Amino acid sequence: MAEEKAKQTQASDMPDWSAYRGVMIVVEQRAGVAKNVSWQLLGEGRKLADKLETDLIAMVLGQDIYHLAEEAIAFGADRVYYCDAPELRDYRTRPYSRVCLQTIEEVKPEIVLFGATATGRDLAGAIATHLPTGLTADCTILDVEPDPSRLLLASRPAFSEKMLATILCKQYRPQMATARSGVFEARVPDPQRQGKIIAVPSQMAEDEIAAQVLRFIEATETFNLEEAEIIVAGGRGLGGPEPFKLLQELADALGGVVGASRAAVDAGWIGHEHQVGQTGCTVRPKLYFAVGISGAVQHTVGMQSSDLIVAINRDANAPIFKFANYGIVGDLFQIIPAITDSVRQKRA
Ligand code: FAD
């Protein structure tokens, strides 16, 4: 009853936003390949749009990216606005934000979501400032209230990750948020799905754009934890930086990458970009090895959605075994080299 009253108050407090309808996902791509977070957001956006009984809209920008508009429909979009232009080949804030702003102003979505990547954060910030509206960064849970408020409930860790804050944007539209990769699940793409693909014009000519991309240098050419399909993660049980070489050998044999618990990162054994968990990356690989990791909740929130979890720990009562599909009780220094040898033999 009290909750019902609170909702009514919210709705009556708010301006009339009936001109704004639809949930829009801004798809991020590089060299014609979409980031996984975009498809994950389409999966979550589909649920929000269904709850609001409205359209799921995708926005795709770049050069030679028509195929991504088709993929967006397969991943759940009803409508896709795409802008294909040479000046959009590489991400630059002004030409990208101009096209997005123009499209948002014309289409009037009630919600706009971006991946919480370097590009997504930059673009979302620029757009929110111009519209102007609020922006909730780094969300880990998204939900909506149905009619009449149709509010986006954007939740994210707050106060040094000790609390979860749910942030509302009542006085402005659209409601905007960025969301972390690996938190939401992409739908299985359906190539038979039908939807509308609408071309929109670019808003700036090359000679109006001050920033030039001279060269693109990958931060780490072979390392991408959030998008990795296989992760071999190590914790305090490794006892130092050297044993991470054992994990790297197994990861190389499997075609995966190395992850870590915060204990290993805080000890300085491996870089923070490898950290999985509440204050690191949220990952959703096909295969996750937790090696010498006890299974603290701050670690498991970042990896528990992995398809298959293998835990290796010498303590049979370690909490990580509750999350594991396969558990091996024993000394990692014997078990890891044995698995690596076996993988190499099978691949030889
Ligand atoms: P431990 O808990 O010390 O576990 C080591 C394990 O190794 C033990 O289970 C032991 O049995 C096993 N072991 C030891 N030797 C061997 C051996 N030879 N063979 C096999 N097993 C062995 N943690 C994260 O991971 N990610 C985060 O993002 C994160 N964020 C946090 C945010 C906050 C606000 C706070 C308060 C904490 C956070 N933590 C995070 C820390 C978390 O609470 C744990 O302290 C941390 O995950 C423990 O790391 P661990 O499992 O490697 O170490």
Side-chain angles (χ1 to χ4, degrees):
M1 185 73 183
E3 199 179 310
E4 207 44 48
K5 192 154 188 229
K7 279 184 192 166
Q8 281 164 12
T9 316
Q10 278 171 3
S12 61
D13 280 351
M14 286 162 40
D16 175 15
W17 296 120
S18 53
Y20 286 78
R21 286 293 180 263
V23 176
M24 179 184 274
I25 311 297
V26 178
V27 173
E28 181 177 338
Q29 60 84 30
R30 211 166 73 72
V33 180
K35 294 266 179 192
N36 285 344
V37 65
S38 302
W39 302 148
Q40 292 162 2
L41 278 176
L42 275 173
E44 192 66 11
R46 185 69 265 167
K47 292 185 202 158
L48 304 181
D50 289 346
K51 214 163 163 183
L52 292 170
E53 298 180 2
T54 189
D55 276 0
L56 179 62
I57 306 160
M59 170 95 225
V60 187
L61 295 90
Q63 186 180 20
D64 299 330
I65 41 83
Y66 186 82
H67 63 284
L68 292 180
E70 293 176 319
E71 276 185 61
I73 289 174
F75 275 103
D78 300 306
R79 248 186 299 157
V80 184
Y81 293 87
Y82 84 103
C83 186
D84 197 325
E87 59 275 15
L88 300 176
R89 191 191 66 185
D90 295 310
Y91 174 74
R92 286 175 290 177
T93 312
R94 286 197 71 209
Y96 266 64
S97 59
R98 286 277 192 95
V99 177
C100 287
L101 275 166
Q102 184 70 24
T103 310
I104 289 169
E105 276 166 3
E106 279 173 28
V107 175
K108 293 195 175 15
E110 57 203 297
I111 294 171
V112 186
L113 303 174
F114 306 76
T117 59
T119 299
R121 287 177 175 139
D122 183 70
L123 183 59
I127 294 169
T129 313
H130 274 276
L131 279 171
T133 186
L135 171 65
T136 308
D138 269 3
C139 296
T140 52
I141 303 173
L142 295 170
D143 200 358
V144 283
E145 277 185 358
D147 271 335
S149 83
R150 301 176 75 89
L151 278 167
L152 174 68
L153 310 176
S155 301
R156 51 152 299 151
F159 296 106
S160 307
E161 318 267 331
K162 291 191 184 77
M163 294 175 77
L164 200 63
T166 300
I167 295 158
L168 313 181
C169 175
K170 290 189 192 170
Q171 300 300 330
Y172 300 94
R173 286 292 178 278
Q175 307 163 89
M176 294 195 4
T178 63
R180 292 186 191 177
S181 180
V183 178
F184 303 117
E185 202 167 357
R187 287 156 55 105
V188 176
D190 172 5
Q192 309 306 323
R193 267 194 101 247
Q194 298 292 312
K196 270 194 204 159
I197 299 181
I198 303 141
V200 295
S202 172
Q203 298 292 322
M204 290 180 88
E206 186 58 51
D207 57 12
E208 295 174 275
I209 307 168
Q212 301 291 310
V213 178
L214 302 179
R215 204 152 59 98
F216 201 93
I217 304 165
E218 294 278 0
T220 42
E221 262 172 11
T222 53
F223 182 74
N224 187 344
L225 193 61
E226 285 179 344
E227 310 235 332
E229 296 201 336
I230 298 176
I231 296 174
V232 184
R236 199 180 342 241
L238 270 73
E242 274 296 304
F244 271 95
K245 288 186 187 152
L246 292 177
L247 301 198
Q248 187 65 60
E249 284 173 18
L250 176 55
D252 289 345
L254 290 165
V257 300
V258 171
S261 72
R262 178 161 157 181
V265 171
D266 284 353
W269 301 343
I270 190 162
H272 179 259
E273 67 277 16
H274 294 263
Q275 186 180 315
V276 173
Q278 191 179 316
T279 41
C281 291
T282 304
V283 297
R284 194 188 273 272
K286 292 198 171 130
L287 175 59
Y288 188 90
F289 280 89
V291 184
I293 293 176
S294 60
V297 62
Q298 294 90 353
H299 185 80
T300 54
V301 288
M303 45 67 77
Q304 64 195 6
S305 301
S306 306
D307 289 351
L308 192 76
I309 297 171
V310 179
I312 299 163
N313 199 303
R314 66 181 178 193
D315 174 6
N317 295 317
I320 193 71
F321 287 125
K322 290 193 201 116
F323 297 86
N325 302 90
Y326 296 97
I328 306 173
V329 179
D331 184 3
L332 71 93
F333 294 97
Q334 291 174 357
I335 295 162
I336 294 295
I339 299 176
T340 307
D341 282 349
S342 157
V343 172
R344 282 179 181 151
Q345 276 167 23
K346 289 216 164 73
R347 299 236 157 148

